[in-house]
Amino acid sequence: MSVSPDTPAQGPIARYEQGIIDRISDFQDPRQEWRRLFSELLGTFFLVLVAAGGGMMGQAFPDTISRTAAVVAPALMAVAVLLVMGKGSGAPLTPAVSIAFALRRDFPWLRVPGYIVVQLVGATLAALFLHQVIDVSATYGSNYPASGYSAGSAFWMEFILTVGLVSVILGTASGAQNVGLFGAIGVGGYIALAGRWGSPSSGASMNPARTFGPDLVGGDFSHYLVYVAGPIAGAVVAVGIAFVLRGRGGGESGSGAGQGALFTETQDPDSR
């Protein structure tokens, strides 16, 4: 192999280290998929730990967790996870956002099933941990329509809340409004605001995985369809809104946000 006069020759150790860096930096490298899946599993675990933990801790220790604290805690955790783990997997942390990124062509469809599986696993592990440590039913950490509130009304609440959430995520990832790491603050702020006013009616899940874990551990899927259909439908509509506002996706900024720092190629090089 010839070496350019301007490029110093690398020793075997340096070449080995560079090879590792190149593989980690390549989002298309299947050998690094386990890193992305582990990052997504861990991020979802911590998100659900505080999201479901608020209700379960409130049941175990009455009058200690206010509703405001219960909805703000997941928002703060989402900010932390996005800042720490977003560079590993893109940190969608929910099937709804994973699907939205794929529909927007900011994320390859091939990776969506794996992401959804580990999101469900992470949420389940969080609910199992809480159930074992706090010793109350995981159903207290799940989401259900409020008493006297129909499943249809809860669906529409989850739908519109998710439209807003995914719109914020896609908006802060676009070329015009790309704000980098500060996008996490916008996402966390929206989660806190949506939870503050939307949680009394439906729980403001906006995340099928977040509801799946406690439902599975608690053995109650009586209203789970609401928390799958609402967020997924909301995510699809948010993708349509993003198209109207910013055109088709797949550009450098959106793909980078959807794929984390491991991103190396735009899904659609002609779009920004």
Side-chain angles (χ1 to χ4, degrees):
M1 181 174 117
S2 61
V3 179
S4 170
D6 298 328
T7 304
Q10 290 183 325
I13 296 179
R15 289 197 300 269
Y16 174 75
E17 292 176 343
Q18 186 60 48
I20 294 177
I21 294 173
D22 290 342
R23 289 197 301 272
I24 292 176
S25 299
D26 186 0
F27 191 82
Q28 307 301 332
D29 186 350
R31 292 172 294 180
Q32 301 306 316
E33 191 67 12
W34 67 272
R35 296 180 188 274
R36 304 178 189 98
L37 295 177
F38 178 75
S39 175
E40 197 63 16
L41 185 150
L42 189 63
T44 307
F45 172 86
F46 279 113
L47 178 63
V48 177
L49 191 69
V50 296
M56 295 175 70
M57 289 291 286
Q59 176 66 23
F61 306 97
D63 303 322
T64 59
I65 307 292
S66 67
R67 185 168 67 87
T68 298
V71 300
V72 170
L76 295 176
M77 180 59 78
V79 172
V81 170
L82 287 168
L83 292 176
V84 174
M85 302 177 190
K87 289 191 175 184
S89 65
L93 306 178
T94 161
V97 175
S98 301
I99 291 172
F101 271 131
L103 287 172
R104 185 77 178 141
R105 295 188 294 179
D106 293 333
F107 190 90
W109 276 105
L110 182 64
R111 291 202 166 93
V112 171
Y115 270 47
I116 291 177
V117 168
V118 296
Q119 287 161 1
L120 298 177
V121 171
T124 301
L125 291 175
L128 282 170
F129 176 87
L130 290 167
H131 176 64
Q132 291 299 317
V133 172
I134 304 175
D135 196 27
V136 298
S137 172
T139 57
Y140 291 107
S142 190
N143 305 108
Y144 304 99
S147 178
Y149 202 67
S150 69
S153 297
F155 164 85
W156 286 113
M157 180 61 73
E158 289 296 314
F159 167 81
I160 198 63
L161 292 177
T162 308
V163 169
L165 174 62
V166 177
S167 293
V168 169
I169 292 172
L170 296 179
T172 56
S174 75
Q177 290 86 28
N178 193 326
V179 291
L181 295 177
F182 291 101
I185 299 176
V187 173
Y190 179 87
I191 293 173
L193 178 63
R196 186 67 182 89
W197 74 270
S199 61
S201 58
S202 68
S205 171
M206 301 175 281
N207 184 344
R210 177 259 180 273
T211 304
F212 175 85
D215 276 1
L216 179 62
V217 175
D220 184 0
F221 283 94
S222 58
H223 292 92
Y224 183 62
L225 182 59
V226 169
Y227 299 93
V228 175
I232 297 297
V236 172
V237 170
V239 171
I241 292 173
F243 177 81
V244 172
L245 294 177
R246 291 176 292 276
R248 61 180 182 174
E252 183 174 355
S253 297
S255 295
Q259 300 176 12
L262 303 184
F263 152 78
T264 57
E265 296 181 9
T266 58
Q267 296 300 301
D268 182 355
D270 294 329
S271 179
R272 289 295 182 265

